[in-house]
């Protein structure tokens, strides 16, 4: 019997497959199906502090706009009893999910102010979260802001939130840092129980006909896994916090690679959006088949087995790898299996 | 000296009753809702909020007195509501309704039935004027007086407290008396006055309502278990006797009502009588009246009586059945002169209704020797307060003075200057009865700045946090954008009976600096009053920026002046342009009504209560505004004399025509009350084209043109809701003498050679909505945010652009005959004959009307249903429909809400008949007209050129006729213009077309006559504040659909198509402007009836209207609004008459709908229902698209075109 269990955020999970925060997790029915298909835990979509504020302002503006101006139409909308604004709707969803499934449910929070983070973190804890993921989605557009300042902000947030909740706290970050390993260590010391690598930032695209900037949501693909593998492998063993891979996990093999790099869990969203919730069971089966064929007994056996410090040639993770790839790359011939693959320097 | 007070303000047991601050509508609705189980409603100003409350409470599952939630149903019209109510009543329901004005008139047929069948019910009416020479939304008793013959008992309330108390008396009495009751109070003055009242407790209702009587009513219900038949037809033998059977009920009713009043008095301490007398017990002069004016008379009487004057007032509460006995008993026996005041007009009558009743009562009593007085008093009849005309203590004093004369006027009016029939009474306007202990505050605000909301809030705070009595009344202007609001707040230790505006204020606040230049804001300021001004100028610099007239008043009246930069404080607190909270805080700080800390705490608490459910962020920013406000408030050191060289702005420019100078300008300046009768047209006929003279200057930013980038496509001109952005093409030589800042570019029309093109903005008329900028497709290649037009701060451009506009107007209009009206690019050059309306900034309706005016305006007659388009299209003082240089332009009229299609058809019939008769006359005159006759009869008028040619022929005809004698020549001279084709447009909103006017619309479409119907579909009753219509889409929240509309939008287009003879188009300018243009032209060309249903984005949709056109596009892409044209003319050619002009839905409905608050607020308030309704609506979209696709493949015979030879 192959043992797929893993330890993440102090939770014993039945497998490393975790459904990460995504639109599918907005529906209790979907989450039930994820559980049935083999998800070992689920991260609910982020509670965006900024969005709450925006929604409040928007609603207030449009309920007030044009009112009390003209005698016949002093208002334009009925006055509703309540609007489920703020975290209420999110927390209500959380409670319903908790009641509906047995697997651990992890809350996710995206805040902009320290006060907001702490307040909402507590509320999510009270709603029954088994753990909390801080989804730090921050784009430092201000040229006056230094890297140190940004990193300090992250560390402070983690420290504050950790001090205010008892449940384990994971931190989800992007990879655009000049000294990621150092930051990881600082977050670790600030009390992060896990690091989730990496956030995928939705990047704006250009509409050439209308000359407009348009938001574009692209789903991940397996090749995005590589940067995660890279950094999990580097960080593994250097920090106390557990590691999680999110982004680019599409097949059983992807999940296995994540484990070997040193991750405790492999999170999935895009693959489920593309191929349906039941794809989870395909991934799980793929993992089992590979492990069986290669006579692995447990996930824990392989975790970190191909990390920086466990491979024969750690230089492969460093600059030397870059040189090697450059020198080995040949232009694909037409129709060859490699055609269409993107060169790494693109 | 003893003064009898009408209602002894002796509180009864108040332990279980709370003091609440509500308006008259809410006061009445609270009782009506609790005592009903079926409520049929329909919106009409000023009663709409009663129905809205009922609907909202039902949605919130608030139970009635018997613990069950009433059923509330919106009907398609007031006629429908009355019909439904009649049925519910006969089937045993306790049923009620709310209405006003024409709505009540539509109920009258059923009211006769309901009364004739002795059915208990109460109709609550916010009494309003009737549409006569003009519509008026304001208050008087014309509507209820029109219903006085129905057999309903009529009970009048004169204050907010009474609206609540007498509502209960009416509901209690109707059950016992078996007479239906019409309970009314004055529209706006009472329905919208916010006052602190004692809320009746459920126990009060319980005590007043006899369940045995309820069961008796139910026992009379129609039921197959004990069947009866009602509503039979009677013959000459018994109808008369049957009509007399009800007499005992009418005779018994007054005693029943009095006993209910007494019972209420025992419960609450507030004692009412059928006729309440107040004043000197030995009064010789007594005024008789009903409604809110009675409060003002009482206030004046008490003032005069304490000074020894023998005056009194008799308030009529139960008007029908009129109890002569009670009336006479209530009058002091010393009375020598009675003045009976009616708030209505019955032209041609000996006198108004109440006067006639009193006259008959007094003279009959005198004749029979039953009078309490020795000599029968002289009875005078007067009219006052029509259409909410102010009724003040000064006027009351004027009436008493007249009554004291040896030969007083027998019939008079008060409050106006009648220089035509000379029956108006003069009075001294400076007479005042204001209580010195009452604080009187007047606030001038913009609709958009939240002033009224904040003041309603202040009244609640003062009413509920202090022992003060408090009253708030709010005056709005007639524009929907940039509108000025004036709030009148009174509070003090003694009860407030002042049902008139404040003319002697102890506090005046001006929330917009620019008002100082155009309104006399300090006119109401009493000597020594406080003046609070929102201005960006600091306390040291503001003085020099005040207009001279303002400075003079400050000095002369010794005012204390405070300033605050409210806009800056609001902006910094995240409140945008809403200075409400900032100014409210300053008011509390200065007025000292509460200790400062308590006031701040109360404001903050009230903010939390009001905005808490909209989220913490909203509360926080309001709190921040409160905290910052006080730091920025400063007192100004007032110099001892006026020094300013700045003058008030003229209301209209000097070049405006005479009527505008004499009449319109005074109305604009807020001096319309002073216009004499002779100044006002006697039949409601006014000149068009007056909006151009009212320069409102309300935009903070205006579009500025970059001529180098502009591709001259005309889209901005097309979408501009206010016709303020215009294009002209002209010869280059005409630029001589142009202002230096006047811009032009080479015209991009091959046919115009080296002509120049100018895009010009009317800076004083722009509302700054930015629709034009959003729709502009031309972007800079080096910085894409820069377009060919860009919103730019207005102040620095103002003078230059005003001069440019004047020059631009002087340039010639393009020759219509050479333009191709089939392309948008050319349409921008057609002169709009609809301009500068008072519609909301960014209105989605007006671009269609402007297009109509550009295409057909010089030959159009418009029938306009009541609603937004009749208000921005026809509300005084200025109106937007205008004329071209030849003096031609749309002739416009509004009849009613419900009859517009028929009204327009009537116009068509008249025009057709006149044209036919004129053609007959041409034929009859035959040889005398020479070649002219056949040319006139054969003219092809299908093009601009054809029409121009025919006009030229008609001119020749008129010349020719001048030389001819005989009646036929004279007849033809009078009707010659009928020989030029006319276009009839029937315009209205979805409330009219889908609901109240649908029956008529259906008939007109079926008639086959050539009329064009334009439905401006905002999917909601916009004008009355966003109530659901049958055009409201599934899942959208609207009033009367607070839980989201459960049913799908009615497909009016499909219904019209089924005739097969109606041209039908569904258009959305933002979806395809070319298709819109095509539809308008095809509709006009089609020889039968046409129907265009135009998607009109609306303020009631809840998003920034600058994105209106994008949202229209999304509506089309999502399939919510498929574009198509159904042209029966194609059927004749064997082609499918239905052409789809948009593609299959490609955008999820959610991506369209969830841009709008009307949908998202349901997602917030009831996510489950929102999700379900969205799913259903998405299915609707798919199903409808499939059906249309199928229909588009069919010919009229129901076959696919390729099958037609089969």
């Amino acid at each position: 019997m192959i043992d797929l269990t893993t330890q993440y955020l102090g939770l014993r999970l039945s497998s490393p497959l975790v459904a990460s925060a995504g639109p599918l997790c907005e529906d209790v029915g979907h989450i039930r199906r994820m559980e049935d298909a083999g998800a070992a835990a689920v991260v609910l979509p982020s509670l965006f502090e900024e969005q709450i504020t925006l929604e409040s302002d928007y609603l207030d503006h449009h309920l007030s706009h044009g009112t009390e101006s003209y005698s016949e139409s002093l208002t334009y909308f009925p006055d509703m009893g309540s609007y489920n604004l703020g975290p209420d709707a999110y927390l209500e969803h959380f409670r319903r999910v908790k009641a509906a499934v047995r697997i651990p449910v992890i809350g996710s929070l995206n805040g902009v102010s320290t006060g907001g983070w702490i307040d909402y973190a507590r509320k999510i804890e009270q709603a029954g979260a088994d753990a909390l993921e801080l989804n730090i989605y921050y784009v430092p557009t201000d040229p006056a802001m230094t890297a140190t300042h940004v990193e300090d902000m992250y560390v402070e947030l983690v420290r504050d939130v950790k001090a205010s909740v008892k449940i384990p706290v994971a931190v989800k970050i992007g990879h655009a840092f000049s000294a990621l390993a150092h930051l990881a260590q600082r977050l670790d010391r600030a009390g992060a129980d896990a690091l989730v690598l990496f956030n995928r930032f939705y990047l704006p695209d250009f509409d050439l006909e209308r000359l407009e900037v348009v938001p574009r949501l692209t789903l991940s693909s397996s090749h995005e896994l590589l940067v995660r593998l890279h950094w999990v492998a580097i960080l593994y063993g250097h920090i106390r916090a557990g590691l999680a891979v999110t982004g680019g996990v599409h097949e059983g093999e992807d999940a296995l690679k994540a484990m070997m790099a040193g991750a405790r869990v492999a999170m999935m969203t895009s693959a489920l959006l593309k191929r349906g919730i039941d794809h989870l069971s395909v991934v799980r089966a793929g993992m089992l088949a590979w492990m069986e064929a290669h006579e692995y007994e447990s996930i824990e056996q392989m975790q970190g087995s191909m990390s920086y410090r466990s491979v024969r040639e750690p230089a492969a993770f460093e600059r030397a790898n870059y040189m090697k790839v450059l020198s080995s790359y040949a232009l694909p011939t037409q129709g060859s299996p490699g055609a269409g693959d993107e060169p790494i320097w693109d | 000296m003893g003064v009898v007070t009408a209602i002894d303000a002796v509180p009864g047991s108040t332990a279980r009753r709370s003091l609440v601050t509500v308006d008259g509508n809410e006061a009445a609705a609270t009782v009506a809702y609790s005592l009903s189980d079926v409520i049929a409603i329909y919106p009409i100003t000023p009663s709409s909020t009663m129905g809205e409350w009922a609907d909202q409470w039902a949605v919130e599952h608030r139970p009635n007195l018997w613990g069950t939630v009433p059923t509330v149903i919106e009907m398609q019209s007031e006629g429908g509501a009355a019909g439904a109510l009649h049925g519910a009543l006969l089937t045993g329901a306790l049923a009620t309704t709310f209405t006003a004005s024409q709505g009540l008139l539509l109920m009258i047929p059923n009211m006769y039935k309901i009364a004739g069948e002795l059915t208990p019910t109460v109709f609550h009416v916010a009494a309003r004027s009737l549409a006569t020479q003009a519509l008026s939304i304001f208050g008087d008793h014309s509507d209820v007086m029109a219903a006085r013959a129905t057999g309903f008992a009529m009970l009048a309330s004169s204050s907010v407290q009474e609206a609540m108390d007498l509502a209960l008396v009416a509901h209690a009495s109707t059950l016992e008396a078996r007479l239906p009751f019409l309970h009314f109070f004055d529209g706006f003055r009472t329905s919208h006055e916010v006052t602190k009242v004692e809320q009746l407790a459920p126990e009060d209702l319980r005590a007043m309502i006899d369940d045995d009587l309820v069961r008796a009513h139910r026992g009379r219900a129609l039921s197959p278990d004990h069947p009866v038949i009602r509503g039979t037809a009677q013959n000459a033998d018994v109808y008369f006797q049957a009509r007399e059977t009800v007499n005992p009920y009418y005779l018994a009713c007054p005693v029943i009502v009095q006993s209910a009043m007494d019972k209420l008095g025992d419960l609450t301490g507030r004692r009412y009588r059928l006729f309440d007398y107040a004043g000197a017990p030995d009064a010789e002069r007594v005024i008789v009246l009903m409604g809110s004016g009675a409060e003002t008379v009482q206030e004046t009487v008490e003032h005069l009586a304490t000074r020894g004057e023998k005056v009194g007032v008799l308030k009529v509460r139960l008007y029908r059945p009129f109890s002569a006995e009670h009336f006479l008993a209530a009058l002091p026996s010393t009375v020598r002169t009675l003045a009976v005041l009616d708030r209505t007009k019955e032209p041609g009558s000996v006198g108004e209704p109440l006067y006639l009743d009193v006259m008959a009562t007094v003279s009959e009593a005198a004749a029979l020797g039953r009078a309490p007085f020795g000599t029968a008093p002289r009875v005078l009849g007067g009219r006052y307060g029509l259409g909410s005309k102010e009724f003040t203590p000064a006027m009351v004093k004027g009436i008493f003075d007249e009554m004291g004369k040896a030969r007083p006027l027998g019939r008079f009016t008060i409050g106006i200057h009648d220089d035509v029939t000379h029956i108006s009474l003069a009075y001294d306007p400076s007479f005042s009865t204001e209580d010195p202990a009452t604080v009187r505050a007047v606030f001038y605000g913009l609709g958009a700045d939240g002033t009224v909301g904040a003041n309603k809030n202040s009244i609640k705070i003062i009413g509920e946090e202090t022992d003060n009595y408090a009253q708030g009344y709010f005056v709005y202007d007639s524009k929907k954008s940039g509108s000025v609001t004036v709030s009148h707040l009174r509070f003090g230790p003694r009860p407030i009976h002042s049902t008139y505006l404040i003319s002697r204020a102890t506090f005046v606040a001006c929330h917009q600096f620019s008002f100082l230049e155009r309104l006399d804001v300090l006119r109401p300021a009493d000597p020594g009053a406080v003046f609070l001004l929102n201005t960006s100028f600091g306390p040291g610099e503001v003085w020099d920026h005040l207009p001279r007239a303002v400075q003079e008043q400050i000095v002369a009246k010794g005012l204390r002046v405070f300033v605050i930069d409210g806009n800056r404080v609001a902006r910094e607190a995240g409140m945008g342009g809403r200075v409400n909270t900032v100014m409210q805080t300053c008011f509390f700080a200065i007025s000292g009504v509460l200790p400062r800390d308590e006031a701040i705490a109360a404001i903050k608490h009230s903010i939390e209560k009001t905005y808490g459910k909209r989220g913490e962020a909203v509360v926080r920013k309001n709190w921040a505004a409160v905290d910052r406000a006080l730091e920025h408030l400063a007192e100004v050191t007032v110099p001892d004399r006026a020094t300013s060289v700045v003058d008030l702005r003229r209301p209209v420019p000097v070049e405006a025509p005479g009527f505008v100078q004499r009449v319109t300008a005074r109305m604009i300046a807020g001096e319309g009350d002073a216009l004499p009768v002779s100044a006002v047209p006697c039949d409601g006929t006014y000149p068009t084209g007056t909006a151009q003279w009212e320069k409102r200057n309300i935009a903070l930013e205006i579009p500025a043109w970059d001529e180098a980038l502009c591709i001259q496509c005309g889209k901005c001109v097309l979408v501009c809701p206010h016709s303020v952005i215009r294009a002209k093409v002209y010869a280059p030589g005409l630029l001589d003498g142009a202002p230096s800042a006047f811009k032009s570019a080479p015209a991009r029309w091959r046919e115009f050679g080296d002509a120049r093109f100018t895009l010009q903005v009317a800076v004083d008329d722009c509302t700054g909505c930015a629709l034009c900028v959003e729709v502009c497709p031309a972007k800079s290649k080096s910085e894409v945010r820069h377009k060919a037009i860009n919103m730019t701060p207005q102040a620095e451009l103002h003078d230059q652009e005003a001069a440019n506009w004047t020059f631009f107007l002087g340039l010639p209009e393009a020759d219509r005959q050479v333009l191709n009206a089939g392309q948008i690019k050319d349409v921008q050059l057609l002169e709009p004959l609809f301009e500068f309306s008072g519609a909301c900034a960014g209105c989605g309706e007006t671009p269609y009307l402007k297009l109509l005016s550009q295409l057909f305006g010089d030959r159009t007659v418009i029938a306009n249903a009541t609603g937004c388009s009749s208000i921005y299209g026809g509300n005084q003082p200025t109106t937007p429909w205008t004329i071209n240089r030849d003096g031609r332009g749309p002739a416009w009229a509004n009849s009613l809400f419900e009859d517009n299609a028929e009204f327009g058809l009537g116009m068509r019939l008249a025009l057709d008949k006149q044209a036919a008769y004129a053609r007959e006359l041409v034929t009859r005159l035959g040889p005398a007209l020479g070649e002219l006759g056949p040319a006139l009869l054969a003219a092809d008028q299908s093009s601009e050129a054809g029409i121009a040619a025919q006009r030229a022929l008609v001119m020749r005809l008129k010349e020719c006729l001048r030389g001819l004698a005989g009646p036929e020549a004279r007849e033809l001279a009078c009707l010659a213009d009928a020989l030029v084709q006319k276009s009839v447009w029937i315009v209205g909103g979805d409330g009219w077309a889908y609901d109240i006017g649908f029956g008529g619309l259906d008939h007109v479409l079926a008639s086959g006559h050539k009329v064009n119907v334009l439905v401006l579909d905002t999917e909601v009753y916009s004008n009355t504040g966003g109530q659901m219509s049958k055009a409201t889409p599934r899942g959208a929240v609207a009033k009367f659909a607070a839980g989201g509309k459960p049913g799908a939008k009615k497909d009016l287009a499909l219904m019209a198509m089924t005739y097969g003879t109606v041209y039908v188009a569904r258009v959305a300018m933002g979806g395809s402007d070319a298709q819109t243009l095509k539809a308008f032209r095809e509709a006009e060309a089609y020889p039968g009836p046409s129907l265009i249903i135009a998607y009109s984005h609306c303020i009631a949709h809840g998003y920034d209207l600058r994105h209106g056109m994008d949202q229209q596009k999304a509506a089309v892409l999502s399939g919510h609004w498929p574009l198509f044209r159904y042209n029966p003319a194609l059927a004749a050619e064997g082609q499918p008459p239905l052409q789809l002009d948009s593609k299959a839905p490609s955008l999820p409905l959610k991506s369209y709908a969830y841009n709008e608050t009307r949908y998202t607020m349901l997602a917030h308030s009831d996510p489950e229902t929102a999700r379900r309704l969205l799913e259903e609506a998405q299915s609707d979209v798919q199903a409808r698209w499939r059906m249309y696709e199928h229909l588009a493949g069919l010919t009229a015979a129901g076959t696919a075109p390729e099958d037609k030879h089969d």
Side-chain angles (χ1 to χ4, degrees), chain B residues 193-355:
Chain B
E193 178 184 303
V194 181
T195 307
K196 175 161 141 181
V197 300
E198 189 183 73
Q199 173 110 42
L200 292 170
E203 296 84 343
D204 297 324
L205 273 59
R206 186 64 281 166
M208 292 286 291
I209 301 296
D210 182 344
D211 273 356
D212 286 340
L213 295 171
V214 173
R215 284 187 282 271
H217 166 64
R218 296 214 169 105
R220 294 187 290 267
L222 289 174
S223 164
D225 296 319
H226 43 83
V228 291
I229 184 166
R230 303 188 76 168
T232 58
Q234 293 177 339
N235 301 315
D237 51 353
V238 298
Y239 179 88
F240 192 173
Q241 301 93 302
R243 208 66 201 97
E244 297 302 318
T245 56
V246 298
N247 297 350
Y249 294 89
Y250 286 88
L251 292 171
C253 183
V255 173
I256 292 171
V257 174
Q258 186 58 60
S259 106
M261 286 173 164
D262 292 345
K263 200 167 177 181
L264 183 79
D266 292 342
L267 289 166
T268 64
R270 292 187 294 278
R271 305 208 163 270
Y272 301 97
R273 305 195 61 74
L274 303 184
F275 300 94
D276 263 318
Y277 178 77
D282 54 349
E284 295 175 353
R285 288 168 287 158
V286 174
I287 290 177
V288 181
L289 79 170
M290 53 187 161
S292 65
E295 293 284 288
T296 292
V297 178
Q298 183 185 342
E299 181 181 297
T300 315
V301 160
E302 286 171 359
H303 180 92
L304 296 173
T306 51
R307 284 158 181 73
E309 296 213 31
K310 295 184 187 309
V311 293
V313 57
L314 192 64
K315 301 184 186 183
V316 178
R317 304 211 184 280
L318 184 69
Y319 174 59
R320 285 284 182 272
F322 193 89
S323 170
E325 181 192 340
H326 286 90
F327 176 85
L328 293 167
L331 269 185
S333 59
T334 46
V335 63
R336 300 177 64 166
T337 309
L338 282 170
V340 186
L341 302 187
D342 275 278
R343 200 162 197 162
T344 186
K345 180 171 175 67
E346 197 167 306
S349 168
V350 172
E352 270 60 38
L354 183 59
Y355 164 79

Side-chain angles (χ1 to χ4, degrees), chain A residues 71, chain B residues 46 127-130 136-140 187-188 387-389 473 476:
Chain A
S71 341
Chain B
R128 164 180 159 182
S129 312
L130 294 175
S136 164
I137 59 168
F138 293 104
D140 65 36
F188 285 106
S388 281
K389 173 70 72 192
Y473 188 75
Y476 310 86

Side-chain angles (χ1 to χ4, degrees), chain B residues 789-1077:
Chain B
I789 39 173
N790 302 282
M791 293 311 285
T792 312
Q794 184 257 111
E796 60 211 49
L797 290 176
H798 178 271
D799 293 351
Q800 146 194 332
E801 290 307 313
N804 286 346
W805 175 252
T806 305
F807 180 79
F808 177 85
L809 284 181
L811 293 172
E813 297 291 341
D815 179 357
R816 298 178 66 92
Q817 294 181 54
V818 302
L819 294 176
N820 175 3
Q823 59 184 28
I824 302 293
K825 187 180 163 123
D826 283 27
V827 166
Q828 69 179 316
L829 302 177
L830 296 173
E831 185 182 11
L833 299 176
F834 175 86
E835 58 183 11
F836 320 140
S837 79
C840 299
C843 174
E845 295 188 354
T846 48
Y848 296 110
L849 294 174
K850 183 186 57 179
L851 176 63
L852 188 168
S853 81
Q854 288 174 297
L855 295 172
F856 320 114
D858 62 352
R859 50 189 183 275
T860 287
V861 183
I862 296 173
N864 206 132
T866 309
C868 276
S869 53
S870 77
I871 296 301
Y872 60 65
N875 204 351
Q876 302 281 11
T878 61
T879 54
W881 296 99
T882 190
I883 52 175
N884 63 17
R885 286 188 186 187
D886 301 329
R888 290 197 181 89
W892 182 97
N894 158 247
S895 171
L896 295 168
F897 192 15
E898 62 272 19
D899 71 339
N900 191 51
E902 302 91 311
F903 185 49
L905 177 65
M907 294 173 176
R908 176 82 270 167
L909 297 177
L911 292 167
D912 285 352
K913 184 63 240 171
Q914 285 160 13
Y917 180 37
R919 293 170 71 87
E920 286 169 28
L921 289 169
V922 168
T923 311
R924 280 191 228 165
L925 286 166
L929 300 176
E931 288 169 10
L932 205 48
L936 279 163
L937 296 180
D940 172 8
Q941 298 184 54
S942 61
S943 65
E944 289 285 343
I947 285 168
Q950 180 76 343
R951 282 194 181 127
L953 287 177
V954 168
M955 244 162 72
R956 281 178 53 203
L957 172 68
K958 286 179 179 172
E959 272 167 36
C960 172
L961 289 171
R962 270 195 281 276
L964 294 178
E968 285 179 333
R970 283 208 300 281
E971 283 278 279
L972 186 53
C974 168
L975 289 171
D977 285 329
L979 293 166
V980 179
Q981 216 165 64
K982 301 294 186 296
S983 177
V984 173
W985 284 83
I986 296 171
V987 173
D990 48 284
W992 158 67
Y994 286 67
D995 288 351
I996 195 169
F998 177 67
L1001 174 62
D1002 175 63
H1003 193 82
V1004 169
L1005 292 178
S1007 75
H1009 286 281
K1010 182 172 165 38
V1011 291
N1012 304 302
V1013 180
L1014 174 61
V1015 179
L1016 302 162
D1017 190 349
T1018 61
E1019 308 194 315
V1020 76
Y1021 285 80
S1022 305
N1023 192 54
T1024 46
Q1027 294 85 2
M1028 165 179 71
S1029 78
K1030 282 200 286 298
T1032 303
R1034 198 196 293 273
V1037 165
K1039 288 176 184 162
F1040 304 164
K1045 180 155 177 268
K1049 180 185 175 86
K1050 166 174 168 175
D1051 196 338
L1052 181 63
L1054 185 65
M1055 293 166 112
M1057 279 190 257
T1058 58
Y1059 279 114
T1061 51
V1062 181
Y1063 176 90
V1064 184
R1066 196 157 162 165
V1067 305
M1069 196 176 269
S1072 168
D1073 49 19
Q1075 189 254 4
T1076 300
L1077 178 58

Side-chain angles (χ1 to χ4, degrees), chain B residues 506-518:
Chain B
T506 55
F507 181 97
V508 174
C510 180
H511 292 188
Q512 300 289 335
F513 188 83
S514 65
F515 291 170
L516 295 179
E517 295 173 359
R518 55 186 174 122

Side-chain angles (χ1 to χ4, degrees), chain A residues 60 69 72 75 80 84 210, chain B residues 45 483 613-614 779 1039:
Chain A
D60 176 54
S69 292
E72 294 208 70
T75 61
M80 314 291 259
N84 282 315
R210 295 163 58 94
Chain B
T45 306
S483 71
K613 61 186 175 185
R614 296 183 186 178
K779 293 181 181 177
K1039 288 176 184 162

